[in-house]
Amino acid sequence: MPKGRPLALLQLPDACLLPVLQCLSGDPASLCSAARAHSKLHQAAVLALSSITVNVQTQHQLHDSLLPYLAKHSQYTDSIHFRSSVPTYDAARAPSLRQLPPSLQINTLHFDNMRLQLVGSADGVEGVLGAPWLVSLKQLQLSECVLLGREQRLAAALSLLPGLQRLRIDSTQFSDGAYLSSRQTVGLEAEAVQQLQQLTYLELAGIQLHSAAQPDGPALQPLQALTRLVDLRLRPSGHHPHDYSISADMLSELQLLTHLELSGQVVLHPGALSGSTRLQHLNLSRCKLTGGAAAEGLLLSQLQDLQQLTHLDLSEGLLAVGDDTPPAAAFESLTASSMLHHLDISQCILPAGAWQHMFPAGRQLPRIRSLAAAGVFEPAGRRAVAPNGSLLASCCPGVLSLD
């Protein structure tokens, strides 16, 4: 701020002032000092403090900065993101998280790159999710964390969060205490699923999965009990003796789904999308499809019924069964939804003439903004002929991105 103009900051419009104050949200003490300087700063600071990020590097930081602030201003904070740049930082034995005031009503909690003891252990260590101030928690995200305790189970942790509606676990592992130990799977045991009945959003990414209830069965099968899900995103990783399969009836119970993402090692069985007519966003990138041309034909026929689709991604091999590709007319289902905004069929195999059925003369798809078809081939490895430019322009006049 220029010397002699201490109130120059107040000349900023509110839309600019708020981002400026949010830069201080990692240091609540400084932000509280700014809020006391002027009524306008106070109003903007309250909004900035609703979501704070704490860059944790030492145990003292929580005591000296976060705890005193929350003791006085907890009514303003709705979301906290604990982030550590030091992977050895052990929040599991930090009593600070359990000392936050019970009056704190946090809706969103995000742990990033930390070691956590989610539930209490036999040696008396208290888990972070047992704190009274988490009773109202609606969103929990664990990113690149290590969950301590050989006996640790998702069911025990999630049972402490009765109001949880959104859960994301990304690149997170279980450990018996040693960082990156041999136990690195996150289980979807039946007990855990019972604690997730109220979920509307579930994202599991970059982790290995197994079913403790059915060790010899499909790892994803327990998810069909989560009947309130609106948004499901699965991107598992690692090698597993059993397929991450989506059976023909698994999605039949998830009638509220509008957003579905399946990628990585997920295997899609014929008929899996039958009845999923509420879907608006469907991403099957890098999925595998079992059953050859017959399964591909069935998948295409099911897409014909998804009239609410705004986003469709079948890229990187889902439609790639080779010489047994279904007839060109079957591919008209890729653009069957007049609501479509985005279509990605990169790295797929299309028969000759498929473009004419996807973008027929006289058909209007005015909502399409993005079309990706890089690396599309015809059967026998021939590069597919690009769609007629004038036909595409008349069918999709609103395209802004074309690959």
Side-chain angles (χ1 to χ4, degrees), residues 207-209 219-220 236-238 240 242-246 265-267:
I207 58 177
Q208 300 180 48
L209 300 171
L220 304 179
S237 67
H240 197 273
H242 308 292
D243 289 332
Y244 296 131
S245 61
I246 303 294
Q265 298 188 34
V266 176
V267 177

Side-chain angles (χ1 to χ4, degrees), residues 319-366:
L319 301 179
V321 296
D323 293 336
D324 295 330
T325 300
F331 288 81
E332 66 179 352
S333 62
L334 297 182
T335 57
S337 171
S338 59
M339 307 291 290
L340 202 62
H341 285 229
H342 171 83
L343 175 63
D344 190 343
I345 53 173
S346 303
Q347 310 293 327
C348 288
I349 294 179
L350 303 181
W355 296 116
Q356 286 74 15
H357 293 278
M358 292 167 59
F359 305 103
R363 174 90 185 279
Q364 282 286 301
L365 295 168

